[in-house]
Amino acid sequence: VWLKVRNDAQNHRLFDTVRCANKRIMSSSTAVEATTTDELTAFNINGFTLGANTDVNGTGFNYIGWQWKGGGTAVSNTSGTITSSVSANTTAGFSVVTYTGTGANGTIGHGLGAVPSMIIIKNRQATNSWVVYHVSTGNGNVLLLNSTNASTADALAWNNTTPTSTVFSVGTGANADTNQTAGGGQHVAYCLAPVSGFSAFGSCTGNGSTDGPFVYTGFRPRYVMIKNSTTGGAGYDWFAYDTSRDTYNSTTLDLNPNSAQVENTNTGDGIDVLSNGFKIRVSTAATNTNGNTIIYAAFAENPFKISRAR
């Protein structure tokens, strides 16, 4: 469960069943995992329970909660050289993986039975960045979910090895935040594989126009996250859109996973959500620089391939 207060400048909060309900990490911060008693307090069969903390449940505040369903109680996975605990939903192409870093080249089982297109990793016990693998930037590069940086060459993070249907690879060294021993080395990885009609990961090339590139996903998206992977710096945020907050086009209410800032309510970074994909509708550099690569992750509103245009 990924929570964000929309009208207050507080960090994004992520919780999962493998780490337990009261364990919080924040995509917009390098802070270590914290134990809370008044934020997300329980996972239920039909939702989740919140405490009274104003960052998740305060009077007069508006919130968004994005959820991905794993595979229930985590099981030990020995497919890699580093043993992991995995809750995998192979139908949805999503798994939560925890493991202990070794500081040596290794592989880690993810339980998906399909090749992940996106992997997001945080060392829970050290003030390290959130390291992102994306299929469009490849195994020799990293993006940082908590940063506006562009994709950066890094031969260590993924050991220059593309994930397989059973494992992903991690390397060594001070910059390889995927496999450190710092603080005890307890890591969590969120692994995502494409599922036809439900999820899609890839990239498009910006054209600098309000008649921006169209991205075919094969479904009507419910949630879209994009990032300019070519250029970084101030304003080059990650942008997350959904059709719960914006019920008609253009979809302009974005939140930035790398930032605690409030929801952006202007029209400077919008997309159109279509029956078979999405289209970028702005010319701003952060989301549509001419010639730049824009990566994306998209999830369907209706996973049964009967979505309708709006």
Side-chain angles (χ1 to χ4, degrees), residues 97-169:
V97 179
T98 58
Y99 62 94
T100 302
T102 64
N105 293 342
T107 56
I108 298 163
H110 53 68
L112 290 176
V115 178
S117 287
M118 192 170 186
I119 303 171
I120 303 169
I121 295 179
K122 177 71 174 82
N123 184 335
R124 302 153 53 188
Q125 297 175 305
T127 55
N128 293 350
S129 289
W130 292 68
V131 186
V132 179
Y133 166 84
H134 193 278
V135 63
S136 296
T137 52
N139 62 44
N141 299 279
V142 295
L143 287 156
L144 304 178
L145 188 62
N146 57 285
S147 168
T148 61
N149 290 358
S151 177
T152 303
D154 190 328
L156 300 176
W158 314 113
N159 198 25
N160 271 343
T161 305
T162 299
T164 72
S165 61
T166 56
V167 300
F168 62 90
S169 297

Side-chain angles (χ1 to χ4, degrees), residues 17-214:
T17 58
V18 177
R19 294 181 301 114
C20 297
N22 64 341
K23 301 292 186 181
R24 179 199 70 206
I25 47 178
M26 303 183 291
S27 69
S28 44
S29 170
T30 60
V32 300
E33 179 182 83
T35 300
T36 64
T37 59
D38 59 354
E39 295 190 17
L40 192 147
T41 59
F43 292 99
N44 310 318
I45 60 171
N46 59 350
F48 52 91
T49 302
L50 296 173
N53 189 301
T54 56
D55 294 337
V56 298
N57 190 24
T59 302
F61 293 100
N62 299 321
Y63 301 87
I64 186 69
W66 301 305
Q67 300 122 66
W68 289 262
K69 188 176 186 299
T73 303
V75 297
S76 179
N77 184 303
T78 57
S79 296
T81 60
I82 300 171
T83 299
S84 56
S85 293
V86 178
S87 174
N89 183 341
T90 57
T91 301
F94 172 66
S95 67
V96 180
V97 179
T98 58
Y99 62 94
T100 302
T102 64
N105 293 342
T107 56
I108 298 163
H110 53 68
L112 290 176
V115 178
S117 287
M118 192 170 186
I119 303 171
I120 303 169
I121 295 179
K122 177 71 174 82
N123 184 335
R124 302 153 53 188
Q125 297 175 305
T127 55
N128 293 350
S129 289
W130 292 68
V131 186
V132 179
Y133 166 84
H134 193 278
V135 63
S136 296
T137 52
N139 62 44
N141 299 279
V142 295
L143 287 156
L144 304 178
L145 188 62
N146 57 285
S147 168
T148 61
N149 290 358
S151 177
T152 303
D154 190 328
L156 300 176
W158 314 113
N159 198 25
N160 271 343
T161 305
T162 299
T164 72
S165 61
T166 56
V167 300
F168 62 90
S169 297
V170 291
T172 65
N175 295 321
D177 288 348
T178 57
N179 189 26
Q180 288 195 346
T181 58
Q186 296 294 317
H187 294 68
V188 62
Y190 301 118
C191 302
L192 299 153
V195 175
S196 178
F198 174 68
S199 60
F201 308 85
S203 65
C204 62
T205 302
N207 62 12
S209 167
T210 54
D211 184 16
F214 165 73

Side-chain angles (χ1 to χ4, degrees), residues 214-294:
F214 165 73
V215 174
Y216 175 80
T217 61
F219 52 80
R220 181 176 184 263
R222 178 68 158 174
Y223 171 97
V224 176
M225 181 165 65
I226 63 175
K227 174 74 173 78
N228 186 326
S229 65
T230 303
T231 304
Y236 286 83
D237 298 287
W238 294 78
F239 295 90
Y241 308 89
D242 62 72
T243 60
S244 287
R245 292 176 295 139
D246 266 313
T247 57
Y248 56 88
N249 287 323
S250 290
T251 304
T252 59
L253 298 178
D254 67 73
L255 286 163
N256 309 125
N258 57 282
S259 172
Q261 71 180 16
V262 299
E263 182 177 74
N264 180 10
T265 57
N266 65 40
T267 58
D269 301 299
I271 65 172
D272 279 350
V273 173
L274 307 172
S275 62
N276 58 352
F278 66 93
K279 185 176 179 64
I280 295 176
R281 281 297 189 185
V282 292
S283 58
T284 54
T287 52
N288 194 19
T289 302
N290 187 34
N292 278 195
T293 297
I294 313 299

